[in-house]
Amino acid sequence: MSSKYSKTLSLSLPGPDDILRRELPNGIVLLVRSNFNSPSVVVNGYLMAGSLFDEDAKLGLAGFTADTLMRGTAKRSYHEIYDDLESAGANLHISGGTHTTGFGSKALAEDLDLLLELLSESLRYPIFPEDQVELLRARLLTSLAIRAQDTREMSSLTFDQIAYPEHPYSRPEDGYPESIQGITREDLVEFHRDHYGPRGMVISVVGAVDPDEAADMATRLLGDWENPDQPPAPSLPANPAPAEPLTRKIDIPGKFQADLVVGVIGPERRADDFLAAAMGNNILGVFGMMGRIGESVREKAGLAYYAYSSLSGGMGPGPWYVSAGVDPQNIEQALELVRQEIKRFTSDSVTADELADSQSNFIGRLPLSLESNSGMASAILNLERYDLGLDYYRRYPDLVSSVTREEILETARRHWDSNQLGVGIAGP
């Protein structure tokens, strides 16, 4: 890709001159970018109230709490909240994750005040109605029962338990049936009281709004929120390292497909080698017809219904894995082909054409991901989440273009240690 094109592209991407970053009096970070080409506005964000805080016996508490926030507040009932959203043609959702509880919303720009009011009320003043708590508990238990019969989800969960022994990442953030059954309304109230507050909270606003006016509105509704007892985000323990390759299979009778996950622990998003890993992963099992993995296992051998690779680096070292859905009779053959592709990936450099195609793909798809207000709001939120800097997307084309074949090979060798390879399988 020419340097002239990269320079032109960089100037059209968000940067320090068109993203307002304001820290509210209580420490909440607000990021706002105007886009008057659309009459809508999107508000995304997160706060540090994830499942890392959950005890094993109450695993799923953070997510349960997040799900209950919009079921009634001190000012609005459950029905009033959703009637107000529906009347404005707006939406708002809050959900729990491992590190954070996240929220997202969309409305016409003229209803930004309604979005922020409902968000503030839900985060600050939920009342956890008993009937709604029990309704949600039933839904969570149903979801977990479905999960237990889903070969794809269970292979992933099994891999996490292998790859992350004695580590928070080994636990499913939505918990287990017995842990959800043991959570009381008082647990929800206590988790909210202890862990919800402005510390570490970030909000992005993108749309047909004046940045200063949006910031003033957020300050009015959230700037006085305080929780002096809110704890800092817990630190992760040292990265686990299985002493030897491990394979574990979960039997799920009555299924016609088996799913497998083969992988290792990858870099976190802030790591210096993350971009090289991401580009290598694109070649390994994403680009085109799911890269080398898709071509080898699915297209040529015909052994898989799907086959791809994934890199999940985030606030911690997420997994880097290959996933495939196969006929149960083809598990060993598919696994052997996957292992061969991993060996090739860590033995030989990617080709010059593979690198050039991947670089063009990375640079070319960035503007597309930023076309919508939702895409832009998520993108600038990540600038703060991963300490990338407001100029990151302006620098991105050059960063991508500077990645070399040698860097990708070194990164692959660093992470894809055959002595630490985990294999999770679920099926009949």
Side-chain angles (χ1 to χ4, degrees):
M1 184 167 291
S2 70
S3 59
K4 182 178 180 181
Y5 175 80
S6 294
K7 184 176 181 180
T8 302
L9 174 61
S10 295
L11 293 175
S12 68
L13 297 171
D17 56 326
D18 59 12
I19 300 173
L20 171 69
R21 183 186 186 278
R22 182 179 295 183
E23 189 169 325
L24 305 191
N26 54 1
I28 294 174
V29 172
L30 183 71
L31 302 165
V32 189
R33 190 174 192 265
S34 295
N35 174 25
F36 288 96
N37 293 320
S38 167
S40 68
V41 64
V42 168
V43 179
N44 288 353
Y46 62 85
L47 66 161
M48 297 296 176
S51 66
L52 288 181
F53 287 109
D54 289 350
E55 300 175 3
D56 287 344
K58 298 290 176 71
L59 187 59
L61 175 57
F64 200 159
T65 303
D67 290 343
T68 319
L69 297 177
M70 294 181 62
R71 295 290 171 150
T73 71
K75 298 183 179 180
R76 290 176 169 92
S77 69
Y78 165 68
H79 294 292
E80 287 172 333
I81 290 171
Y82 285 92
D83 283 347
D84 288 346
L85 285 169
E86 186 176 355
S87 296
N91 64 67
L92 169 64
H93 59 86
I94 305 172
S95 59
T98 301
H99 287 266
T100 62
T101 286
F103 50 85
S105 59
K106 183 177 182 180
L108 292 173
E110 63 197 49
D111 293 313
L112 175 60
D113 55 344
L114 173 64
L115 283 188
L116 290 174
E117 283 176 12
L118 290 173
L119 176 64
S120 176
E121 288 178 25
S122 299
L123 294 177
R124 299 178 66 176
Y125 309 116
I127 59 174
F128 304 102
E130 191 72 49
D131 60 333
Q132 294 294 329
V133 168
E134 294 309 314
L135 177 62
L136 280 171
R137 188 195 310 280
R139 292 184 179 180
L140 290 171
L141 292 171
T142 299
S143 177
L144 293 177
I146 293 172
R147 183 187 74 183
Q149 294 298 312
D150 188 315
T151 55
R152 197 163 183 170
E153 287 206 36
M154 291 306 295
S155 64
S156 179
L157 192 156
T158 302
F159 169 78
D160 289 344
Q161 292 170 342
I162 292 172
Y164 295 95
E166 305 300 323
H167 189 279
Y169 284 7
S170 69
R171 310 184 308 170
E173 61 195 32
D174 45 357
Y176 298 100
E178 58 272 20
S179 62
I180 295 299
Q181 287 282 22
I183 293 172
T184 66
R185 178 184 178 278
E186 288 68 32
D187 291 326
L188 301 172
V189 172
E190 182 178 342
F191 187 89
H192 176 266
R193 183 187 67 232
D194 292 345
H195 298 290
Y196 277 68
R199 183 200 290 261
M201 184 172 174
V202 183
I203 305 172
S204 65
V205 180
V206 175
V209 295
D210 176 86
D212 288 315
E213 291 180 6
D216 291 344
M217 198 178 300
T219 301
R220 174 174 56 83
L221 291 166
L222 289 160
D224 64 340
W225 189 16
E226 298 289 347
N227 183 0
D229 298 324
Q230 183 187 1
S235 58
L236 290 172
N239 293 353
E244 58 185 13
L246 293 173
T247 298
R248 187 178 302 163
K249 184 177 185 295
I250 300 297
D251 291 319
I252 306 179
K255 299 295 178 178
F256 296 97
Q257 175 175 317
D259 287 77
L260 57 91
V261 176
V262 183
V264 292
I265 298 172
E268 63 179 68
R269 181 61 184 84
R270 296 183 180 92
D272 292 338
D273 62 354
F274 179 81
L275 190 53
M279 296 187 67
N281 181 67
N282 199 46
I283 294 166
L284 177 64
V286 178
F287 189 51
M289 298 297 289
M290 300 307 170
R292 294 177 175 183
I293 292 291
E295 181 180 6
S296 173
V297 182
R298 186 175 185 274
E299 299 302 313
K300 289 184 177 179
L303 292 175
Y305 307 113
Y306 71 88
Y308 66 92
S309 65
S310 177
L311 177 68
S312 303
M315 299 179 99
W320 191 356
Y321 62 86
V322 172
S323 181
V326 303
D327 185 305
Q329 297 180 350
N330 295 333
I331 290 176
E332 290 304 323
Q333 290 175 276
L335 272 175
E336 181 56 31
L337 284 180
V338 168
R339 290 191 177 102
Q340 289 177 14
E341 288 302 329
I342 292 171
K343 183 177 181 180
R344 180 161 75 103
F345 185 54
T346 57
S347 300
D348 305 317
S349 296
V350 299
T351 68
D353 286 344
E354 284 177 322
L355 176 59
D357 287 345
S358 192
Q359 287 171 327
S360 295
N361 174 247
F362 269 52
I363 294 171
R365 74 191 188 200
L366 177 62
L368 296 177
S369 71
L370 302 176
E371 281 188 341
S372 68
N373 286 341
S374 295
M376 182 66 72
S378 296
I380 65 174
L381 194 66
N382 284 336
L383 298 179
E384 191 73 25
R385 189 192 304 263
Y386 302 121
D387 301 318
L388 299 174
L390 294 182
D391 64 341
Y392 177 74
Y393 295 117
R394 301 274 175 88
R395 294 184 288 112
Y396 183 79
D398 289 337
L399 292 173
V400 170
S401 297
S402 68
V403 173
T404 66
R405 296 163 62 196
E406 292 73 23
E407 283 180 88
I408 292 175
L409 181 59
E410 290 171 4
T411 300
R413 288 174 171 171
R414 185 179 303 119
H415 294 284
W416 284 92
D417 185 341
S418 60
N419 290 324
Q420 298 176 14
L421 200 66
V423 180
I425 305 170

